[in-house]
Amino acid sequence: MPAYLNGGVDCSQFPPMAMGDEPLQTEVPTGMQPFVLPKVKLTPLAGFSMPARVHRASYLDDEPASISTTDWFVVWGVMANEKVVKCLKFEQRARFGGIAGTKDGGSMPYSYDDMYLMLRMSI
């Protein structure tokens, strides 16, 4: 890590949000600098806060692993609803997240088209 990141990064925390609240976007905190790593420069563009479900996957052997070995797959709105999450199985492959079917192997509670439409409507 570059020496200027040894002390960490000050990322302001937002107050907790309730499920169903709309995502909140804010300006980048004053004084936050780009992250300059050996192969890339990452420039923060905005702050975000949202009630969401986060899925994580580790990657060690692909080219982007030289920058990040972790990918985050975030769902919000209808897709983070407890009823939907309880029956769906999410997956991450090749650094893309998606719906892999139902946890019990049964039929989907909604069609794929309806789920993606609900997701887009919740943005």
Side-chain angles (χ1 to χ4, degrees):
M1 278 296 194
Y4 69 92
L5 291 179
N6 284 341
V9 177
D10 180 23
C11 293
S12 302
Q13 291 212 325
F14 297 101
M17 299 177 77
M19 198 54 78
D21 284 354
E22 291 295 317
L24 174 66
Q25 180 176 333
T26 63
E27 298 295 322
V28 174
T30 304
M32 183 176 250
Q33 299 296 314
F35 302 90
V36 181
L37 302 173
K39 294 186 177 185
V40 299
K41 176 181 177 182
L42 305 171
T43 303
L45 300 176
F48 293 95
S49 181
M50 70 180 89
R53 303 233 179 225
V54 179
H55 305 269
R56 177 188 171 279
S58 295
Y59 297 90
L60 301 174
D61 300 323
D62 63 357
E63 178 62 28
S66 65
I67 298 167
S68 174
T69 58
T70 302
D71 257 13
W72 305 96
F73 171 43
V74 180
V75 295
W76 63 93
V78 174
M79 297 305 291
N81 179 289
E82 191 70 29
K83 180 181 175 186
V84 175
V85 170
K86 278 185 179 180
C87 62
L88 292 180
K89 183 168 55 173
F90 297 95
E91 69 178 359
Q92 287 176 259
R93 285 192 209 158
R95 297 196 178 251
F96 291 93
I99 301 164
T102 60
K103 289 181 180 175
D104 65 4
S107 62
M108 299 291 280
Y110 307 100
S111 73
Y112 280 104
D113 289 342
D114 288 343
M115 285 188 283
Y116 285 108
L117 177 61
M118 287 186 287
L119 178 61
R120 283 193 295 271
M121 289 172 59
S122 70
I123 294 176

Coordinates of all heavy atoms in Angstrom, one line a residue, residues 9-75:
V9 N -8.3 5.3 5.5 CA -9.0 6.3 4.7 C -10.2 6.7 5.5 O -10.9 5.9 6.1 CB -9.5 5.7 3.3 CG1 -10.3 6.7 2.6 CG2 -8.3 5.2 2.5
D10 N -10.4 8.0 5.6 CA -11.5 8.5 6.4 C -12.8 8.5 5.5 O -12.9 9.3 4.6 CB -11.2 9.9 6.9 CG -12.4 10.5 7.6 OD1 -13.2 9.7 8.2 OD2 -12.5 11.8 7.7
C11 N -13.6 7.5 5.7 CA -14.9 7.5 5.0 C -16.0 7.8 5.9 O -16.3 7.0 6.9 CB -15.1 6.1 4.4 SG -14.0 5.7 3.0
S12 N -16.7 8.9 5.8 CA -17.7 9.3 6.7 C -18.8 8.2 6.6 O -19.2 7.7 5.6 CB -18.3 10.6 6.3 OG -17.3 11.6 6.2
Q13 N -19.4 7.9 7.8 CA -20.5 7.0 7.9 C -21.8 7.8 8.0 O -21.9 8.8 8.6 CB -20.4 6.1 9.1 CG -19.2 5.2 8.9 CD -19.4 3.9 9.6 OE1 -20.1 3.8 10.7 NE2 -19.0 2.8 9.1
F14 N -22.8 7.2 7.3 CA -24.1 7.8 7.3 C -25.0 7.2 8.4 O -24.6 6.1 8.9 CB -24.9 7.5 6.0 CG -24.2 8.2 4.8 CD1 -23.4 7.4 3.9 CD2 -24.4 9.5 4.5 CE1 -22.8 8.0 2.8 CE2 -23.7 10.1 3.4 CZ -23.0 9.3 2.6
P15 N -26.0 7.8 8.8 CA -26.9 7.2 9.8 C -27.5 5.9 9.2 O -27.7 5.8 8.0 CB -28.0 8.2 10.1 CG -27.7 9.4 9.2 CD -26.5 9.1 8.5
P16 N -27.9 4.9 10.1 CA -28.5 3.7 9.5 C -29.7 4.0 8.7 O -30.5 5.0 9.0 CB -28.8 2.9 10.8 CG -28.0 3.5 11.9 CD -27.7 4.9 11.5
M17 N -30.0 3.2 7.7 CA -31.2 3.4 6.9 C -32.1 2.2 7.0 O -31.6 1.1 7.3 CB -30.7 3.6 5.4 CG -29.9 4.8 5.2 SD -29.3 4.9 3.5 CE -30.8 5.5 2.7
A18 N -33.4 2.4 6.9 CA -34.3 1.3 7.0 C -34.5 0.6 5.6 O -34.3 1.3 4.6 CB -35.7 1.8 7.5
M19 N -34.7 -0.7 5.6 CA -35.0 -1.4 4.4 C -36.2 -0.7 3.7 O -37.2 -0.4 4.3 CB -35.3 -2.8 4.7 CG -35.2 -3.7 3.5 SD -33.6 -3.7 2.6 CE -32.5 -4.6 3.7
G20 N -36.0 -0.4 2.4 CA -37.1 0.3 1.6 C -36.7 1.7 1.4 O -37.3 2.4 0.6
D21 N -35.8 2.3 2.2 CA -35.4 3.7 2.0 C -34.7 3.8 0.6 O -34.0 2.8 0.2 CB -34.4 4.2 3.1 CG -35.1 4.5 4.4 OD1 -36.3 4.4 4.4 OD2 -34.4 4.8 5.4
E22 N -34.8 4.9 0.0 CA -34.1 5.1 -1.3 C -32.6 5.3 -1.1 O -32.2 5.8 0.0 CB -34.6 6.4 -1.9 CG -36.1 6.3 -2.4 CD -36.2 5.3 -3.5 OE1 -35.4 5.2 -4.5 OE2 -37.2 4.5 -3.5
P23 N -31.8 4.8 -2.0 CA -30.3 5.0 -1.9 C -30.0 6.5 -1.8 O -30.7 7.4 -2.4 CB -29.8 4.4 -3.2 CG -30.8 3.5 -3.6 CD -32.1 4.1 -3.2
L24 N -28.9 6.8 -1.1 CA -28.5 8.2 -0.9 C -27.1 8.4 -1.5 O -26.2 7.6 -1.2 CB -28.4 8.5 0.6 CG -27.9 9.9 1.1 CD1 -28.8 11.0 0.6 CD2 -27.7 9.9 2.6
Q25 N -27.0 9.4 -2.3 CA -25.7 9.7 -3.0 C -25.2 11.1 -2.5 O -26.0 12.0 -2.4 CB -25.8 9.7 -4.5 CG -24.5 10.0 -5.2 CD -24.6 9.9 -6.7 OE1 -25.4 9.2 -7.2 NE2 -23.7 10.7 -7.3
T26 N -24.0 11.2 -2.1 CA -23.4 12.4 -1.6 C -22.1 12.8 -2.3 O -21.6 12.0 -3.1 CB -23.1 12.3 -0.1 OG1 -22.1 11.3 0.1 CG2 -24.3 12.0 0.7
E27 N -21.7 14.0 -2.1 CA -20.4 14.4 -2.7 C -19.2 13.6 -2.0 O -19.4 13.1 -0.9 CB -20.2 15.9 -2.4 CG -21.2 16.8 -3.1 CD -21.1 16.7 -4.6 OE1 -20.0 16.6 -5.2 OE2 -22.2 16.7 -5.2
V28 N -18.1 13.5 -2.6 CA -16.9 12.9 -2.0 C -16.5 13.8 -0.9 O -16.5 15.0 -1.0 CB -15.8 12.8 -3.1 CG1 -14.5 12.3 -2.5 CG2 -16.2 12.0 -4.2
P29 N -16.2 13.2 0.3 CA -15.7 14.0 1.4 C -14.6 14.9 1.1 O -13.6 14.5 0.4 CB -15.4 12.9 2.5 CG -16.1 11.7 2.1 CD -16.2 11.8 0.6
T30 N -14.6 16.1 1.6 CA -13.5 17.0 1.4 C -12.2 16.4 1.9 O -12.1 15.8 2.9 CB -13.7 18.3 2.2 OG1 -15.0 18.8 1.8 CG2 -12.6 19.3 2.0
G31 N -11.1 16.5 1.1 CA -9.8 16.0 1.4 C -9.6 14.6 1.0 O -8.5 14.1 1.1
M32 N -10.6 13.9 0.5 CA -10.4 12.5 0.1 C -9.6 12.5 -1.2 O -10.1 13.1 -2.2 CB -11.7 11.7 -0.1 CG -11.5 10.3 -0.4 SD -13.0 9.4 -0.5 CE -12.8 8.3 0.9
Q33 N -8.5 11.9 -1.3 CA -7.6 11.8 -2.4 C -7.8 10.6 -3.2 O -8.3 9.6 -2.7 CB -6.2 11.9 -2.0 CG -5.8 13.2 -1.2 CD -6.0 14.4 -2.1 OE1 -5.5 14.4 -3.2 NE2 -6.6 15.4 -1.5
P34 N -7.4 10.6 -4.5 CA -7.5 9.3 -5.3 C -6.5 8.3 -4.6 O -5.6 8.6 -3.9 CB -6.9 9.8 -6.6 CG -7.2 11.2 -6.7 CD -7.0 11.7 -5.3
F35 N -6.9 7.0 -4.9 CA -6.0 5.9 -4.4 C -5.1 5.6 -5.6 O -5.5 5.2 -6.6 CB -6.9 4.7 -4.1 CG -7.9 4.9 -3.0 CD1 -9.2 5.4 -3.4 CD2 -7.6 4.8 -1.7 CE1 -10.2 5.6 -2.4 CE2 -8.6 5.0 -0.7 CZ -9.9 5.4 -1.1
V36 N -3.8 5.8 -5.4 CA -2.8 5.5 -6.4 C -2.1 4.2 -6.1 O -1.4 4.2 -5.1 CB -1.8 6.7 -6.6 CG1 -0.9 6.3 -7.7 CG2 -2.6 8.0 -6.9
L37 N -2.3 3.2 -6.8 CA -1.7 1.9 -6.6 C -0.7 1.6 -7.8 O -0.7 2.4 -8.7 CB -2.8 0.8 -6.6 CG -3.9 1.0 -5.5 CD1 -5.0 0.0 -5.6 CD2 -3.3 1.0 -4.1
P38 N 0.1 0.6 -7.7 CA 1.1 0.4 -8.7 C 0.5 0.3 -10.1 O 1.1 0.8 -11.1 CB 1.7 -1.0 -8.3 CG 1.6 -1.0 -6.8 CD 0.2 -0.4 -6.6
K39 N -0.7 -0.3 -10.3 CA -1.2 -0.4 -11.7 C -2.3 0.5 -12.0 O -2.7 0.6 -13.2 CB -1.6 -1.9 -11.9 CG -0.5 -2.9 -11.9 CD -0.9 -4.2 -12.3 CE 0.2 -5.2 -12.3 NZ -0.2 -6.5 -12.8
V40 N -2.9 1.1 -11.1 CA -4.1 1.9 -11.3 C -4.2 3.2 -10.4 O -3.6 3.2 -9.4 CB -5.4 1.1 -11.1 CG1 -5.5 0.0 -12.1 CG2 -5.6 0.7 -9.7
K41 N -5.0 4.1 -10.8 CA -5.4 5.2 -10.0 C -6.9 5.2 -9.9 O -7.6 5.3 -10.9 CB -4.9 6.5 -10.6 CG -5.3 7.8 -9.8 CD -4.8 9.0 -10.6 CE -5.3 10.3 -9.9 NZ -4.8 11.5 -10.6
L42 N -7.4 5.1 -8.6 CA -8.9 5.0 -8.4 C -9.3 6.4 -7.8 O -8.8 6.8 -6.8 CB -9.2 3.9 -7.4 CG -8.7 2.5 -7.8 CD1 -8.9 1.5 -6.7 CD2 -9.4 2.1 -9.1
T43 N -10.2 7.1 -8.5 CA -10.7 8.4 -8.1 C -12.1 8.3 -7.6 O -13.0 7.9 -8.3 CB -10.6 9.4 -9.3 OG1 -9.3 9.4 -9.8 CG2 -11.0 10.8 -8.8
P44 N -12.3 8.6 -6.3 CA -13.7 8.5 -5.7 C -14.5 9.6 -6.4 O -14.1 10.7 -6.7 CB -13.5 8.9 -4.3 CG -12.0 8.8 -4.0 CD -11.3 8.9 -5.3
L45 N -15.7 9.1 -6.8 CA -16.6 10.0 -7.6 C -17.8 10.4 -6.7 O -18.4 11.5 -6.9 CB -17.2 9.4 -8.8 CG -16.1 9.0 -9.8 CD1 -16.7 8.2 -11.0 CD2 -15.3 10.2 -10.3
A46 N -18.2 9.6 -5.7 CA -19.4 9.9 -4.9 C -19.4 9.0 -3.7 O -18.8 8.0 -3.7 CB -20.7 9.8 -5.7
G47 N -20.2 9.4 -2.7 CA -20.4 8.6 -1.6 C -21.8 8.0 -1.7 O -22.7 8.6 -2.3
F48 N -22.0 6.8 -1.2 CA -23.3 6.1 -1.3 C -23.7 5.5 0.0 O -22.8 5.0 0.7 CB -23.3 5.0 -2.4 CG -23.1 5.5 -3.8 CD1 -21.8 5.5 -4.4 CD2 -24.2 5.9 -4.5 CE1 -21.7 6.0 -5.7 CE2 -24.0 6.4 -5.8 CZ -22.8 6.4 -6.4
S49 N -24.9 5.5 0.3 CA -25.5 4.8 1.4 C -26.8 4.2 1.0 O -27.6 4.9 0.4 CB -25.7 5.8 2.6 OG -26.1 5.1 3.7
M50 N -27.0 3.0 1.3 CA -28.3 2.3 1.0 C -28.5 1.1 1.8 O -27.5 0.4 2.2 CB -28.4 2.0 -0.5 CG -27.5 0.8 -0.9 SD -27.5 0.4 -2.6 CE -26.3 1.4 -3.2
P51 N -29.8 0.8 2.2 CA -30.0 -0.5 2.8 C -29.9 -1.6 1.7 O -30.6 -1.5 0.7 CB -31.5 -0.3 3.3 CG -32.1 0.7 2.5 CD -31.0 1.6 2.0
A52 N -29.0 -2.5 1.9 CA -28.8 -3.5 0.9 C -28.3 -4.8 1.5 O -27.9 -4.8 2.6 CB -27.7 -2.9 -0.1
R53 N -28.2 -5.8 0.6 CA -27.6 -7.1 1.0 C -26.3 -7.1 0.1 O -26.3 -6.8 -1.0 CB -28.5 -8.2 0.6 CG -29.8 -8.1 1.3 CD -30.1 -9.4 2.0 NE -31.4 -9.2 2.7 CZ -31.6 -9.5 3.9 NH1 -30.7 -10.1 4.6 NH2 -32.8 -9.4 4.4
V54 N -25.3 -7.6 0.8 CA -24.0 -7.6 0.1 C -23.5 -9.1 0.1 O -23.5 -9.8 1.0 CB -22.9 -6.8 0.9 CG1 -21.6 -6.9 0.2 CG2 -23.4 -5.3 1.0
H55 N -23.1 -9.5 -1.1 CA -22.5 -10.8 -1.3 C -21.0 -10.6 -1.7 O -20.7 -9.6 -2.4 CB -23.2 -11.6 -2.5 CG -24.7 -11.7 -2.2 ND1 -25.3 -12.7 -1.5 CD2 -25.7 -10.8 -2.5 CE1 -26.6 -12.6 -1.4 NE2 -26.9 -11.4 -2.0
R56 N -20.2 -11.5 -1.3 CA -18.7 -11.3 -1.5 C -18.1 -12.5 -2.2 O -18.5 -13.6 -1.8 CB -18.1 -11.0 -0.2 CG -16.6 -10.9 -0.2 CD -16.0 -10.8 1.2 NE -14.6 -10.9 1.2 CZ -13.9 -12.0 1.1 NH1 -14.5 -13.2 1.0 NH2 -12.6 -12.0 1.1
A57 N -17.2 -12.3 -3.1 CA -16.5 -13.4 -3.7 C -15.0 -13.1 -3.7 O -14.7 -11.9 -3.9 CB -17.0 -13.8 -5.1
S58 N -14.2 -14.1 -3.6 CA -12.7 -13.9 -3.7 C -12.2 -14.4 -5.0 O -12.6 -15.5 -5.5 CB -12.0 -14.6 -2.5 OG -12.3 -14.0 -1.3
Y59 N -11.3 -13.7 -5.6 CA -10.6 -14.1 -6.8 C -9.1 -13.9 -6.6 O -8.7 -12.8 -6.2 CB -11.1 -13.2 -8.0 CG -12.6 -13.3 -8.3 CD1 -13.5 -12.5 -7.7 CD2 -13.0 -14.2 -9.2 CE1 -14.8 -12.6 -7.9 CE2 -14.4 -14.4 -9.5 CZ -15.3 -13.6 -8.9 OH -16.6 -13.7 -9.1
L60 N -8.4 -14.9 -7.0 CA -6.9 -14.8 -6.8 C -6.1 -15.0 -8.1 O -5.0 -14.6 -8.1 CB -6.5 -15.9 -5.8 CG -7.1 -15.8 -4.4 CD1 -6.7 -17.0 -3.5 CD2 -6.8 -14.5 -3.7
D61 N -6.8 -15.6 -9.1 CA -6.0 -16.0 -10.3 C -6.3 -15.2 -11.5 O -5.8 -15.5 -12.6 CB -6.3 -17.5 -10.5 CG -5.8 -18.3 -9.4 OD1 -4.8 -18.0 -8.8 OD2 -6.5 -19.3 -9.1
D62 N -7.1 -14.2 -11.5 CA -7.4 -13.4 -12.7 C -6.6 -12.1 -12.7 O -6.0 -11.8 -11.7 CB -8.9 -13.2 -12.9 CG -9.5 -12.3 -11.8 OD1 -8.8 -11.9 -10.9 OD2 -10.7 -12.0 -11.9
E63 N -6.6 -11.5 -13.9 CA -5.8 -10.3 -14.0 C -6.2 -9.2 -13.0 O -5.4 -8.5 -12.4 CB -5.8 -9.8 -15.5 CG -5.1 -8.5 -15.7 CD -3.6 -8.5 -15.5 OE1 -3.0 -9.6 -15.6 OE2 -3.0 -7.5 -15.1
P64 N -7.5 -8.9 -12.9 CA -7.9 -7.9 -11.9 C -7.5 -8.2 -10.5 O -7.6 -7.3 -9.6 CB -9.5 -7.9 -12.1 CG -9.7 -8.4 -13.4 CD -8.7 -9.4 -13.7
A65 N -7.2 -9.4 -10.1 CA -6.7 -9.7 -8.8 C -5.5 -9.0 -8.4 O -5.2 -8.8 -7.2 CB -6.5 -11.3 -8.6
S66 N -4.7 -8.5 -9.3 CA -3.5 -7.7 -9.0 C -4.0 -6.3 -8.4 O -3.2 -5.6 -7.8 CB -2.7 -7.5 -10.2 OG -3.3 -6.8 -11.2
I67 N -5.2 -6.0 -8.6 CA -5.8 -4.7 -8.1 C -6.7 -5.0 -6.9 O -6.6 -4.4 -5.9 CB -6.6 -4.0 -9.2 CG1 -5.6 -3.6 -10.3 CG2 -7.2 -2.7 -8.6 CD1 -6.3 -3.1 -11.6
S68 N -7.5 -6.0 -7.0 CA -8.5 -6.4 -6.0 C -8.8 -7.9 -6.0 O -9.2 -8.4 -7.1 CB -9.8 -5.6 -6.1 OG -10.7 -6.0 -5.1
T69 N -8.6 -8.5 -4.9 CA -8.9 -10.0 -4.8 C -10.4 -10.2 -4.4 O -10.8 -11.3 -4.3 CB -8.0 -10.7 -3.9 OG1 -8.1 -10.1 -2.6 CG2 -6.6 -10.6 -4.4
T70 N -11.1 -9.1 -4.1 CA -12.5 -9.2 -3.6 C -13.4 -8.5 -4.5 O -13.2 -7.4 -4.9 CB -12.6 -8.7 -2.2 OG1 -11.7 -9.4 -1.3 CG2 -14.0 -8.8 -1.6
D71 N -14.6 -9.1 -4.8 CA -15.6 -8.4 -5.5 C -16.9 -8.4 -4.6 O -17.1 -9.4 -3.9 CB -16.0 -9.2 -6.8 CG -15.5 -8.6 -8.0 OD1 -14.6 -7.7 -7.9 OD2 -15.9 -8.9 -9.1
W72 N -17.6 -7.4 -4.7 CA -18.8 -7.2 -4.0 C -20.0 -7.2 -4.9 O -20.0 -6.5 -5.9 CB -18.8 -5.9 -3.2 CG -17.6 -5.8 -2.3 CD1 -16.4 -5.1 -2.6 CD2 -17.4 -6.3 -1.0 NE1 -15.5 -5.2 -1.6 CE2 -16.1 -6.0 -0.6 CE3 -18.2 -7.1 -0.2 CZ2 -15.6 -6.3 0.7 CZ3 -17.7 -7.4 1.1 CH2 -16.4 -7.1 1.5
F73 N -21.0 -7.9 -4.6 CA -22.3 -7.9 -5.4 C -23.3 -7.4 -4.5 O -23.6 -7.9 -3.4 CB -22.6 -9.4 -5.8 CG -23.9 -9.6 -6.5 CD1 -24.4 -8.8 -7.4 CD2 -24.6 -10.8 -6.1 CE1 -25.6 -9.0 -8.0 CE2 -25.9 -11.0 -6.7 CZ -26.4 -10.1 -7.6
V74 N -23.9 -6.3 -4.8 CA -24.9 -5.5 -4.0 C -26.2 -5.6 -4.6 O -26.4 -5.2 -5.7 CB -24.4 -4.1 -3.7 CG1 -25.4 -3.3 -2.8 CG2 -23.0 -4.0 -3.2
V75 N -27.3 -5.9 -3.8 CA -28.6 -5.9 -4.2 C -29.4 -5.0 -3.3 O -29.1 -4.9 -2.1 CB -29.3 -7.3 -4.4 CG1 -28.6 -8.1 -5.4 CG2 -29.3 -8.0 -3.0

